[in-house]
Every structure is written in structure tokens, then in C-alpha cells.
Amino acid sequence: MTRARGLIGWILPAALVLGWEALSRLGVIPANILPAPTAVAAALWRVAVSGELARNMGVSAWRAGIGFLIGGAIGFAFGLANGLSRFSEEFTDTTLQMVRNVPHLALIPLVILWFGIGEQAKLFLVALGVFFPIYINTLHGIRSVDPQLVEMGRTYGMNGFELFGQVILPGALPSIFVGLRFGLGIMWLTLIVAETISASSGIGYMAMQAREFMMTDVVVLSILIYALLGKLADTVARALERRTLAWNPAFEGV
Amino acid sequence: MFTDALAMIETAARFVPPDDLRRDPPVPFEVLGDHLAPQSRGARLSVSKLAKRFGETPVLDGIDLNIAPGSFVAIVGKSGCGKSTLLRLILGLETPTSGRIDLPAGAAARFVFQEPRLLPWAKVVDNVSVGLGRTGSRAARRAEAARALADVGLDGRGDAWPSVLSGGQKQRVALARALVSRPRLLALDEPLGALDALTRISMQGLVERVWRDQRFTALLVTHDVSEAIALADRVILVDGGRIALDIDVDLPRPRRRGTPAFAALEKRVLDALFGGFEGGDAI
Ligand SMILES: Nc1ncnc2c1ncn2[C@@H]1O[C@H](COP(=O)(O)OP(=O)(O)OP(=O)(O)O)[C@@H](O)[C@H]1O
Ligand SMILES: [Mg+2]
């Protein structure tokens, strides 16, 4: 039953891919506009064998991961500090909210002036993009911890660390996960834009180079790889969420 | 709302329990100098000239109270008269404006709130372990907690998440958490207020039973006069910031509600409550 329902969801995409293939073969869709699925598969095989794929994917994943770690760690730290200390919040929150109103991708020309097209530029943009969702959701999570539970912890003699570890952090975790998943989405988006505009390696660079040589199949392949990586990151985050929030009835049996 | 929560979390992060609340190793009875019968491990509590104002509003205004070790005292009064404030002052959750509270060091006072206040992300047994703080190993704490769960009739439910328990079961877990450290004073602030009538009665029986087994001093705030008379040795009525009525309940246990003596006591307390209501500021 579940198996059948799982399969039902795949019927439509499979039909779409088959239809696309058929239309390409019949010449209804010209290959320079949209190559056939089999052509994309052939391109995958080609770049995989030449080692180009692994190299570019590695570079992109590295940029995404490091940028995410930097931005996420700083955002998390500010979220904790401002959630726990009134002084810290009054001191920094207004500034952060102002900076948040600048779309980080609008900084690309400035960032290129500062860092050139080197790695720093991409890491900076990814970190900046990831910072805000993590910051805002961590702060929100800590503030929405049930004060009655905090009082209970106090009455039962928990010290500051225990209170944080047993009450405040677990209480803030659902919100922190929301921030994490938003952050992952922004991470890929930022990287795609940054690599497409200026890079000498990475998936975005692979796509732009293919465009110069009119290799539409590789361009489509790059787009699909981005989609796949984004999906992968989201799946990992969801699995982590499910494990960590097993106590929450909202995740029961999901 | 947010800033309130924040202030609370902030103060909590700096919180150091007052000496009275730190859990010291159990003190042998001889050392306490109290004339405690061996079965009575309850703490003696004395409160004198206790007053509390929030800003300009006086809530409590000169409370004097002596509570014998191991006795069961119920505190009644109309809503907003300061019952919770009195309890919170005794437990050190609020600081008095003036007056003093004497509770022996190491009394390990515990508080049961109106809501269960269980950590939803901790299994039932770990919620009960919270009551043991940092004493001993985690495994030892869990074993102790499992025993406390059995005492409140929840044997074997330790591995459940709090979200799957009924309201009455949650409140029993909260009771186990309060009792697991063997407190010498247990304060209960309308712990059964949110329960349906049937669950209430069986929970009253449970509270009475654990009190008789463990002989702690019990302070129960309730708005249910018949609950107060069914459980307590002594009923105190708070009104206008002072103790307006203080009566002993000398009925044999277990108490039956239908008896004339029970009804007479209930009427006395209700009359005092209504008198206070009509004479005082109406709600
Ligand atoms: N932290 C506080 N700040 C200001 N006023 C407070 C605070 N806590 C309690 N009060 C006030 O003190 C009075 C007594 O409150 P308290 O909670 O002790 O009443 P209560 O007798 O427990 O009432 P109920 O039966 O409704 O629980 C109320 O008027 C309340 O508004
Ligand atoms: Mg109250």
C-alpha cells in the first residue's frame, strides 16, 4: 500500500521525462534549446570520466560548506548572545537588523572589488547570506522558550549551564532547525550566483564555460546537479531534525 | 511578552539557589536539634512579620506562621489574595519586602506547580531525574527516578515522552520529580486545579498517601475548600494580606466528605471566605 503510494508519485515525472525525450527525438525541441535527457546523461558520463565533474563539484561543495560553517557559526553565536543577554541585544541587534535590509547579492560588485574573484569573495557572500536566517531563528527560538520551564529549572537548582543545556537550547532547537534549512537554501542560491558571475572553478563555472562552447547539455546538467545538491542538503537537515526532535509530536512517525 | 521571557531567562541564567534550597546531604535528626519523631522528617517552618509589595501594591502585610514538622497545611483564599506569592516567598522564588522566613538549611524544599512543567524533550524518567540534580551517576539517578515513578503509580512509564501522557499522569510525574529527592518541605500550588473531578479525587488520595509514607511538611494552596479539609491538619485562610482564619482539622483519616463534622468545618471556612469577600474589595 505504502509502496504503491510511493510509486504513484513517480509516474508523472517519468512521463514528463519520456515525453521530453520523444519530443527531442522528433525534432520538436531543438537540441541547442534543450537537449534530450539521453544527451544530458551522455554529458554526465563525459564530464564524470574526464574528472571535470568531481573537481568542480568538490570545489563547489567546499565553498558551500566552509561558507555555511563560518556564517552559521557567527549567526548562531550572535543569536545565543542576544537571546541570553539583554545588553548584547541592545548593543548589536539594531545594527544587525539594518545590515539585514541590504540584499547580500547586491554586494557582489563591491565584494569583487575587495577580494577579486578569489575564494574569499565566494566564502564571504555565502557566509553573509547564511548568517541572517540562522541568527534570527536562533534568537527567536531562545526568546520563545517557555518561561515556566525556565522557572522550574531554577526552582530545581539548575545552574546556568544546566539550564542552558537542559531547558533553553532544547527549547530553541525547533526554531534553530528552521533557520538551518533556510540557511541551506540561501547557501546554494548565493553560491550559484557567485560562481556564475565570477569563478574559475565550480559547477557554476562549468556551466558558464559550457555556454561559451554552446554545450547546452552540460549547462542543463549543471542546473540538475545544483538541484540535486540542494535536495541532498535539505534531506540531511530533515533527517537530523527528525532524530533530534523525536520528542515532538509533530515529528512522530514522519 | 518577549521581553518578559527574556528577563526571566536572564535572571535564570544568573540564578544561584538560596542556601535553603541547595540540596545538602541528609542531616541526621539528632543534629537538627528538633524533637523529631523518627518517622517525621518534615522541616519546621516559621514565618514572622512577612510582608511583600509589588511596586506600590501591598500583597502580603504581616504574615506570622509556625508550622510543625511533618504537618499538612492547606492555604485557601480568594483569587489574587497572595497565596502563590506566599508560597514563592517561602521557597525563595521571591524576596520579601520585610519580615523573615526560617527554614532549616538542607530542608530541600520542593515545589509542585499548577502546570506539570515537564521538559517535553526529556523522557519521563529523565524528567523525574531533574529532581535529583547532580547527585550520583546518571544511571543511579535514573534508577532512583524509576522508583519514584512506581510510588506515584506510573511503574514502567519511564521511557515514554511526556506528550503521550494524560493530564493526571503528567501531574503525577511532576509529583514524582518533586518527591524523588526526599524533600523535607513540599509546596504545592493548586497542583490539581486543572484536573477533572474524578482524577482530582484519586490524586488527592495519592498526595495523602505519599505524605503519610514520607512525612514531609506539606503546604498546599488550593481554591477547593473541601480538598483542603480532606487533606490538611490545618487550614489557613489568607485575606487582605493577613491570615484571616487558622483552624485545625481534627478528623480521623482517611476522611469522608459526607460526615457532619466535615460539613461543619467546610461551612466555617466558606463563611469566613464569603465574609471576607463581601467586606473586602469585590472582584
Ligand atoms: N511578579 C509580580 N509583579 C506584580 N504583581 C504581582 C506579581 N506577582 C503577583 N502579583 C500580584 O500580587 C497579587 C497576588 O498574586 P498571587 O499570584 O499570589 O495570587 P493568588 O492568591 O495565588 O491568586 P490565584 O488564586 O488566582 O492563583 C495579585 O494582585 C497579583 O497581580
Ligand atoms: Mg496562585
Side-chain angles (χ1 to χ4, degrees), chain A residues 83-84 86 151 156 162 166, chain B residues 6 10 88 117 121 134:
Chain A
L84 295 173
R86 179 75 58 85
E151 192 188 54
Y156 278 82
E162 290 167 318
Q166 293 182 42
Chain B
L6 190 65
E10 267 187 341
R88 295 168 60 85
R117 302 202 188 181
W121 41 83
R134 295 171 287 275

Side-chain angles (χ1 to χ4, degrees), chain A residues 23 33 64 86 90-92 142 144 163 174 176 183 194 196 202 219 225 241:
Chain A
L23 290 176
I33 301 290
R86 179 75 58 85
E90 281 177 3
F91 190 62
T92 59
I142 287 182
S144 49
L163 201 62
I176 292 174
T196 306
V219 174
I225 288 173
E241 191 174 25

Side-chain angles (χ1 to χ4, degrees), chain B residues 80 83-85 114 189-190 221:
Chain B
K83 304 179 297 288
S84 298
T85 307
Q114 176 163 2
D189 191 354
E190 297 194 26
V221 165

